[in-house]
Amino acid sequence: NGSEIFTMPSNSSSQTEYFMRGGNDTVKVNSTSQFLFAYIDGGDGHDTLQFSAPWVLDLSQISNQMMDKVENFEVFKVDLFGSFTTANTLTLDLQSLLDFSSADHKLFVSGTRIDTVDLLDFSDWTKSAATTTIAGIAYYDWTNLNDANVHLYIQSAITQVI
């Protein structure tokens, strides 16, 4: 029930299922093992799905079948282990946030100043005036105007939100 760090093996198969225990777990995914598993569950706690390679990832284009393979992750980390040299882009909309986030409809995106979050429905979101610090990281709370219960927390270091 402690915090685990798990790197997806490159030899995962479409039949492999992963279940994290309770705790604040981190699952690292590299480009060779992206979605090469049947199912992964972050379990209880404040869990992170961290991508360990440069990414241009569009969650709005991933099918519901693919999104159903990932459950109970609250943090989506797109930075390259804290690197400031490789830009990453995460694209999402309200529906993909709902598909990916846990039942409380909160998703945390961590990254660096050169990363980009592309909100396809940008005009449907409002950014908080001040940051909220959670687990030592400052986030802006982007609330959806169509559903005030949906929150996208974007690390304040990410300055490119379009």
Side-chain angles (χ1 to χ4, degrees), residues 10-11 13 15 18 24 32 36-37 41 44 50 62 66 87 104 109-110 114 129-131 140 152:
S10 58
N11 62 349
S13 76
Q15 285 78 40
Y18 299 97
N24 301 329
T32 60
L36 295 179
F37 49 85
D41 186 338
D44 294 334
Q50 178 175 339
I62 296 176
M66 295 294 280
D104 64 1
V109 178
S110 297
I114 63 172
T131 60
Y140 283 104
L152 175 62

Short mmCIF file of all heavy atoms in Angstrom, two decimals, residues 10-11 13 15 18 24 32 36-37 41 44 50 62 66 87 104 109-110 114 129-131 140 152:
data_model
loop_
_atom_site.label_atom_id
_atom_site.label_comp_id
_atom_site.label_asym_id
_atom_site.label_seq_id
_atom_site.Cartn_x
_atom_site.Cartn_y
_atom_site.Cartn_z
N SER A 10 8.59 -3.08 -22.21
CA SER A 10 8.39 -2.96 -23.65
C SER A 10 7.80 -4.22 -24.25
O SER A 10 7.33 -4.21 -25.37
CB SER A 10 9.70 -2.61 -24.35
OG SER A 10 10.66 -3.59 -24.08
N ASN A 11 7.79 -5.31 -23.48
CA ASN A 11 7.22 -6.55 -24.00
C ASN A 11 5.81 -6.81 -23.50
O ASN A 11 5.34 -7.94 -23.52
CB ASN A 11 8.13 -7.73 -23.65
CG ASN A 11 8.26 -7.93 -22.14
OD1 ASN A 11 7.84 -7.09 -21.36
ND2 ASN A 11 8.86 -9.04 -21.74
N SER A 13 1.86 -7.14 -23.57
CA SER A 13 1.01 -7.63 -24.66
C SER A 13 -0.42 -7.14 -24.45
O SER A 13 -0.77 -6.63 -23.39
CB SER A 13 1.04 -9.15 -24.72
OG SER A 13 0.25 -9.69 -23.67
N GLN A 15 -2.83 -8.77 -23.78
CA GLN A 15 -3.51 -9.56 -22.77
C GLN A 15 -3.04 -9.23 -21.35
O GLN A 15 -3.58 -9.73 -20.38
CB GLN A 15 -3.29 -11.07 -23.02
CG GLN A 15 -4.10 -11.63 -24.17
CD GLN A 15 -3.50 -11.28 -25.53
OE1 GLN A 15 -2.29 -11.31 -25.68
NE2 GLN A 15 -4.32 -10.93 -26.48
N TYR A 18 -2.45 -4.71 -15.51
CA TYR A 18 -1.65 -4.20 -14.40
C TYR A 18 -2.57 -3.55 -13.38
O TYR A 18 -3.44 -2.75 -13.74
CB TYR A 18 -0.63 -3.17 -14.88
CG TYR A 18 0.36 -3.72 -15.89
CD1 TYR A 18 0.17 -3.55 -17.25
CD2 TYR A 18 1.49 -4.41 -15.45
CE1 TYR A 18 1.08 -4.07 -18.17
CE2 TYR A 18 2.40 -4.93 -16.36
CZ TYR A 18 2.19 -4.75 -17.72
OH TYR A 18 3.09 -5.24 -18.61
N ASN A 24 0.19 6.41 -3.61
CA ASN A 24 0.41 7.39 -4.68
C ASN A 24 1.42 6.81 -5.66
O ASN A 24 2.62 7.01 -5.53
CB ASN A 24 0.90 8.71 -4.09
CG ASN A 24 -0.11 9.27 -3.10
OD1 ASN A 24 -1.30 9.07 -3.24
ND2 ASN A 24 0.37 9.97 -2.10
N THR A 32 7.65 2.70 -26.75
CA THR A 32 7.50 1.35 -27.30
C THR A 32 6.38 0.57 -26.62
O THR A 32 5.95 -0.45 -27.12
CB THR A 32 8.81 0.55 -27.17
OG1 THR A 32 9.16 0.45 -25.79
CG2 THR A 32 9.92 1.22 -27.96
N LEU A 36 0.19 -0.93 -25.08
CA LEU A 36 0.38 -2.34 -25.42
C LEU A 36 0.02 -3.22 -24.23
O LEU A 36 0.74 -4.13 -23.87
CB LEU A 36 1.82 -2.61 -25.85
CG LEU A 36 2.28 -1.93 -27.12
CD1 LEU A 36 3.74 -2.26 -27.39
CD2 LEU A 36 1.42 -2.33 -28.29
N PHE A 37 -1.11 -2.96 -23.62
CA PHE A 37 -1.57 -3.73 -22.48
C PHE A 37 -3.08 -3.81 -22.56
O PHE A 37 -3.72 -3.02 -23.24
CB PHE A 37 -1.11 -3.10 -21.16
CG PHE A 37 -1.40 -1.62 -21.05
CD1 PHE A 37 -2.63 -1.17 -20.61
CD2 PHE A 37 -0.43 -0.70 -21.41
CE1 PHE A 37 -2.90 0.19 -20.53
CE2 PHE A 37 -0.70 0.66 -21.32
CZ PHE A 37 -1.93 1.10 -20.88
N ASP A 41 -4.84 -0.18 -13.96
CA ASP A 41 -5.63 0.48 -12.93
C ASP A 41 -4.68 1.08 -11.90
O ASP A 41 -3.88 0.36 -11.30
CB ASP A 41 -6.56 -0.54 -12.27
CG ASP A 41 -7.53 0.09 -11.30
OD1 ASP A 41 -7.29 1.21 -10.80
OD2 ASP A 41 -8.56 -0.56 -11.01
N ASP A 44 -6.30 2.97 -5.62
CA ASP A 44 -6.58 4.09 -4.73
C ASP A 44 -5.36 5.00 -4.63
O ASP A 44 -4.24 4.59 -4.91
CB ASP A 44 -6.94 3.58 -3.33
CG ASP A 44 -8.26 2.82 -3.32
OD1 ASP A 44 -9.11 3.09 -4.19
OD2 ASP A 44 -8.42 1.94 -2.45
N GLN A 50 2.96 8.76 -16.29
CA GLN A 50 4.05 9.62 -16.75
C GLN A 50 4.61 9.09 -18.06
O GLN A 50 4.98 7.92 -18.16
CB GLN A 50 5.16 9.67 -15.70
CG GLN A 50 6.35 10.49 -16.13
CD GLN A 50 7.38 10.62 -15.01
OE1 GLN A 50 7.06 10.45 -13.85
NE2 GLN A 50 8.59 10.92 -15.37
N ILE A 62 -8.12 9.40 -29.21
CA ILE A 62 -8.00 8.03 -28.73
C ILE A 62 -9.41 7.50 -28.50
O ILE A 62 -10.22 8.13 -27.84
CB ILE A 62 -7.17 7.97 -27.44
CG1 ILE A 62 -5.74 8.42 -27.74
CG2 ILE A 62 -7.18 6.56 -26.86
CD1 ILE A 62 -4.86 8.49 -26.52
N MET A 66 -9.81 2.46 -26.21
CA MET A 66 -8.46 2.65 -25.69
C MET A 66 -8.51 3.33 -24.31
O MET A 66 -7.77 2.96 -23.42
CB MET A 66 -7.62 3.49 -26.65
CG MET A 66 -7.36 2.82 -27.98
SD MET A 66 -6.34 1.37 -27.84
CE MET A 66 -4.75 2.12 -27.71
N ALA A 87 10.03 19.50 -25.86
CA ALA A 87 8.65 19.97 -25.72
C ALA A 87 7.67 18.82 -25.95
O ALA A 87 7.89 17.98 -26.82
CB ALA A 87 8.39 21.09 -26.71
N ASP A 104 -14.04 11.57 -9.86
CA ASP A 104 -14.24 12.94 -9.39
C ASP A 104 -14.06 13.98 -10.49
O ASP A 104 -14.21 15.17 -10.27
CB ASP A 104 -13.34 13.26 -8.20
CG ASP A 104 -11.86 13.21 -8.54
OD1 ASP A 104 -11.50 12.94 -9.70
OD2 ASP A 104 -11.05 13.44 -7.62
N VAL A 109 -2.29 17.95 -14.89
CA VAL A 109 -1.28 17.86 -15.94
C VAL A 109 -0.03 18.57 -15.46
O VAL A 109 -0.07 19.76 -15.14
CB VAL A 109 -1.79 18.49 -17.26
CG1 VAL A 109 -0.71 18.42 -18.33
CG2 VAL A 109 -3.06 17.80 -17.74
N SER A 110 1.05 17.83 -15.38
CA SER A 110 2.33 18.39 -14.97
C SER A 110 3.25 18.47 -16.18
O SER A 110 3.18 17.65 -17.08
CB SER A 110 3.00 17.51 -13.91
OG SER A 110 2.21 17.46 -12.75
N ILE A 114 8.15 24.60 -21.55
CA ILE A 114 8.13 24.43 -23.01
C ILE A 114 7.05 23.47 -23.48
O ILE A 114 6.87 23.26 -24.67
CB ILE A 114 9.50 24.00 -23.55
CG1 ILE A 114 9.91 22.64 -22.99
CG2 ILE A 114 10.54 25.06 -23.27
CD1 ILE A 114 11.17 22.07 -23.64
N ALA A 129 -7.69 32.62 -11.05
CA ALA A 129 -6.78 33.78 -10.97
C ALA A 129 -5.51 33.43 -10.20
O ALA A 129 -4.44 33.96 -10.50
CB ALA A 129 -7.50 34.95 -10.30
N ALA A 130 -5.62 32.56 -9.23
CA ALA A 130 -4.48 32.19 -8.40
C ALA A 130 -4.21 30.69 -8.52
O ALA A 130 -5.09 29.92 -8.91
CB ALA A 130 -4.75 32.55 -6.94
N THR A 131 -3.01 30.29 -8.18
CA THR A 131 -2.68 28.87 -8.22
C THR A 131 -3.12 28.18 -6.94
O THR A 131 -3.30 28.81 -5.90
CB THR A 131 -1.16 28.66 -8.41
OG1 THR A 131 -0.46 29.26 -7.32
CG2 THR A 131 -0.68 29.23 -9.73
N TYR A 140 -2.84 25.82 -11.89
CA TYR A 140 -4.01 26.63 -12.17
C TYR A 140 -5.19 25.69 -12.35
O TYR A 140 -5.07 24.64 -12.97
CB TYR A 140 -3.83 27.49 -13.43
CG TYR A 140 -2.95 28.69 -13.20
CD1 TYR A 140 -1.64 28.71 -13.65
CD2 TYR A 140 -3.44 29.80 -12.50
CE1 TYR A 140 -0.83 29.81 -13.43
CE2 TYR A 140 -2.62 30.90 -12.27
CZ TYR A 140 -1.33 30.90 -12.74
OH TYR A 140 -0.53 31.99 -12.50
N LEU A 152 -9.62 20.78 -14.64
CA LEU A 152 -8.34 20.43 -15.24
C LEU A 152 -7.29 21.29 -14.55
O LEU A 152 -7.30 22.51 -14.68
CB LEU A 152 -8.37 20.72 -16.75
CG LEU A 152 -7.06 20.51 -17.50
CD1 LEU A 152 -6.60 19.05 -17.41
CD2 LEU A 152 -7.23 20.93 -18.96
#
